[in-house]
Amino acid sequence: MKISVIGCGYLGAVHAATLASMGHTVVGIDVDSSKVEQLNKALAPFHEPGLDELLKDGRTTGRLMFTTDFAAAADAQVHFLCVGTPQSKTSDTADLSYLMGATKSLLPHLAKGAAVVGKSTVPVGTVETLRAVLARRSDVLLGWNPEFLRQGTAVKDSLVPDRLVYGVPGGKGAAGAPVTAVLDAVYEPLICAGIPRLVCNFATAELIKSASNAFLATKVSFINAMAELCDASGADVSELSEAMGLDPRIGNRYLHAGLGFGGGCLPKDIRSFRAQARELSVPSVDEWMGLVDSVNLDQRSRAVEVAREMCPGFLSGRTVTILGAAFKPDTDDIRDSPALDVAQQLAAAGAHVTVTDPKAINNAWIRYPQIRFEASTKRALEDAELVLLLTEWDEYVSLSPSEVGTLVRRRMVLDARNVLDAEAWRSAGWTVRGLGTGASVVAAENGEAKRADRKKHAAR
């Protein structure tokens, strides 16, 4: 089967390479000529483990090519829309201009009986808008097939997905059968492997991805709210989340307290979800998502306040090293990165901030010229008075506390992801703080003791 993939960013490039690996002939189309050139060299324009190998295989077999020319899609039987739907610059809603533009550009090249299938994350009702664009082509099939990829594991998530969702006209009825049959043919290897498949109507398919992301964001913000409660009470959120996660009704995934979520999906998706709820007059979802978003952003300010506590008196003039720039490990994506948000806040407070990251330095230094970036972890750590671990790359988690101790000026570390072996670091002479480990109570008690001592000395 010949398939076109419109939009070759994180979603489209991975999807195109995956379809080619299943035996389809795939043409990826993107308006960015430099991206197309790089993909045709079997080089991913972003860091995603395993993607270069998948691209190389597709190019070697001749089943995969990339171009800027929409005419190359003319004889394709299926067209997947994978363009970005970023947050609007003027509101919380999703910007659908790229999606509409791609559909209009594709329209003149659609073969009779072809299927147009969306994969982008969109607000409910988007398919009806696309149906209007395609109204002149009553012979063209329309479907929605939401993606569930995670950056850092996108290749695995494509080759062995948790589920396949088909949004088709009328859901499971006869009206949707032609689109269902086409998608079954596309995903035949996955279906034969036993991957669960759900057929539903358009509105359900549109909402599934947003609802899933909203639930994941809720879990992250909930445990981070518990972390603040733990700090206030002297409890340990790591032990609390471990105990909660053993309950099969709750589970331990996405129940790890830390700096919170970022990236190009979760933040903008929950804000779009809020906007949809307002438009549909469902205030409970609007308010709920607003609280989830607020708790998540507050974690970044909390990290800055803990850093301030660890630098008695002031942050201004302090030499601070931040481990991590990407919003999560195994990606070079810095969109809405919690690590860089904290770095900016510390720099605004007068700290001398150096940020290092294994993959995201090139992306970050262009966008944040006011921050110093260093590719070498060792050089970044030299003479630091405070170290913050903000992105949990394996190479940071496995650092030797004794070796790092020889590089820094003061052995002070804020583990904002709660991933370090705190006892090992303390044994090496480090002061270690986390988020939700009850340390603020200890700090407050120490502060009270110091004030009491000062009063005694003053009385003498």
Side-chain angles (χ1 to χ4, degrees), residues 114-295:
V116 176
V117 182
K119 289 194 72 67
S120 308
T121 302
V122 296
V124 64
T126 299
V127 175
E128 294 306 317
T129 305
L130 282 180
R131 199 198 296 269
V133 175
L134 297 169
R136 291 179 298 165
R137 295 295 306 271
S138 58
D139 61 301
V140 171
L141 301 175
L142 181 61
W144 210 261
N145 173 218
E147 57 87 12
F148 302 99
L149 306 185
R150 298 164 295 172
Q151 286 175 241
T153 60
V155 170
K156 175 179 177 295
D157 294 340
S158 295
L159 295 173
V160 191
D162 295 323
R163 72 282 206 195
L164 295 168
V165 175
Y166 301 171
V168 300
K172 296 178 182 178
V179 182
T180 299
V182 168
L183 289 173
D184 279 348
V186 171
Y187 293 119
E188 183 180 5
L190 301 181
I191 293 171
C192 290
I195 301 301
R197 187 200 69 168
L198 172 70
V199 179
C200 57
N201 64 22
F202 286 138
T204 305
E206 290 169 316
L207 279 173
I208 284 173
K209 175 63 183 295
S210 296
S212 296
N213 278 356
F215 185 73
L216 296 177
T218 296
K219 287 189 76 172
V220 174
S221 284
F222 174 84
I223 200 61
N224 282 336
M226 293 304 101
E228 187 171 4
L229 191 60
C230 287
D231 270 342
S233 64
D236 189 315
V237 75
S238 297
E239 295 171 358
L240 182 143
S241 62
E242 181 180 6
M244 287 179 62
L246 292 173
D247 186 330
R249 298 169 301 174
I250 298 173
N252 60 8
R253 297 189 69 182
Y254 284 80
L255 205 64
H256 185 86
L259 194 55
F261 56 82
C265 292
L266 239 57
K268 66 100 174 173
D269 286 352
I270 64 172
R271 291 163 195 156
S272 174
F273 206 41
R274 289 191 70 189
Q276 294 174 64
R278 287 194 293 271
E279 290 173 6
L280 295 168
S281 300
V282 185
S284 58
V285 174
D286 179 17
E287 293 165 7
W288 186 357
M289 288 298 99
L291 180 59
V292 167
D293 197 13
S294 176
V295 170

Side-chain angles (χ1 to χ4, degrees), residues 14 17 38-39 41-60 64 155:
V14 174
Q38 194 166 349
L39 287 166
K41 293 177 181 177
L43 297 173
F46 47 83
H47 177 69
E48 183 61 45
L51 181 54
D52 282 349
E53 291 80 3
L54 212 58
L55 289 169
K56 183 178 180 181
D57 178 67
R59 295 293 293 148
T60 300
L64 179 64
V155 170

Side-chain angles (χ1 to χ4, degrees), residues 36 40-41 49 57 83 96 116 123 159 238 255 279 291 293 319 327 343 352-354 370 376 393 403 419 426 441:
V36 165
N40 276 326
K41 293 177 181 177
D57 178 67
V83 298
L96 300 180
V116 176
L159 295 173
S238 297
L255 205 64
E279 290 173 6
L291 180 59
D293 197 13
T319 304
F327 85 92
H352 300 304
V353 179
T354 299
Q370 72 275 32
S376 165
W393 288 92
E403 291 180 10
V419 291
R426 289 187 179 108
V441 170

Side-chain angles (χ1 to χ4, degrees), residues 3-8 12 16 26-30 36 39-40 64-69 72:
I3 298 172
S4 82
V5 174
I6 314 301
C8 298
V26 183
V27 54
I29 300 175
D30 199 283
V36 165
L39 287 166
N40 276 326
L64 179 64
M65 67 164 286
F66 297 90
T67 180
T68 59
D69 186 4

Side-chain angles (χ1 to χ4, degrees), residues 87-93:
Q87 183 175 329
S88 168
K89 294 179 179 179
T90 58
S91 69
D92 286 343
T93 59

